[in-house]
Amino acid sequence: MDIDGQPQPQTQPQTSSANERRLILEIEFVQCLANPKYMQFLAQHGYFNDPAFINYLKYLLYWRQPEYAHLIVYPYALEMLEYLQHEGFRRAVALESTVQLIHTKEFYHWQHWKKDELAELRKQGVLN
């Protein structure tokens, strides 16, 4: 607003702001997929039975492209997004045993990935 309380004209078109909001919402949703309990919630509440939601999951696969993937803080979310393209996985993630398996796999990945990465760099002679 200006001094007289009148709204100022927007400097950017409305569509730019809407696109930015959509991008933020999408990245937050995709990163939530790294949480096995969240996927279980979606499964148990019928989201994976909705064809529109399944199409949305397919649409979100563009996050796997390098120009978008580098924005993801939890790269495991991209793997889960890929798994969610399969009906069998969508059914299985409703089960507590599946959720526990995913959680355990994620835990061990984060526990060992840096150590494994450093060992590989030493093997290649990059590190002493």
Side-chain angles (χ1 to χ4, degrees):
M1 294 196 164
D2 66 10
I3 296 174
D4 300 322
Q6 298 298 318
Q8 291 286 347
Q10 293 184 355
T11 56
Q12 294 181 345
Q14 184 74 16
T15 57
S16 175
S17 177
N19 286 339
E20 184 177 317
R21 280 194 307 268
R22 189 186 85 216
L23 184 76
I24 290 168
L25 288 173
E26 288 177 1
I27 194 170
E28 287 180 3
F29 174 75
V30 168
Q31 293 191 124
C32 283
L33 298 177
N35 181 339
K37 286 290 191 183
Y38 180 66
M39 289 189 300
Q40 183 180 41
F41 170 86
L42 294 174
Q44 291 177 342
H45 287 83
Y47 286 89
F48 297 150
N49 298 325
D50 181 356
F53 192 79
I54 301 308
N55 285 336
Y56 181 62
L57 292 173
K58 288 178 187 171
Y59 158 76
L60 291 173
L61 285 172
Y62 80 87
W63 282 98
R64 294 180 61 87
Q65 298 172 10
E67 60 268 26
Y68 297 101
H70 79 277
L71 299 171
I72 300 289
V73 176
Y74 307 107
Y76 206 77
L78 296 174
E79 187 174 343
M80 294 298 105
L81 179 60
E82 184 67 36
Y83 288 150
L84 286 170
Q85 304 304 310
H86 305 283
E87 184 179 351
F89 181 79
R90 293 191 302 266
R91 279 194 313 268
V93 81
L95 304 172
E96 187 63 31
S97 60
T98 302
V99 170
Q100 287 301 319
L101 179 66
I102 294 168
H103 175 73
T104 300
K105 184 178 176 189
E106 286 181 352
F107 174 79
Y108 285 118
H109 168 78
W110 287 112
Q111 186 178 29
H112 298 286
W113 77 274
K114 192 66 169 178
K115 182 172 55 172
D116 294 344
E117 183 179 309
L118 291 173
E120 182 61 29
L121 290 172
R122 284 187 183 100
K123 182 178 168 184
Q124 293 173 6
V126 176
L127 294 176
N128 294 327

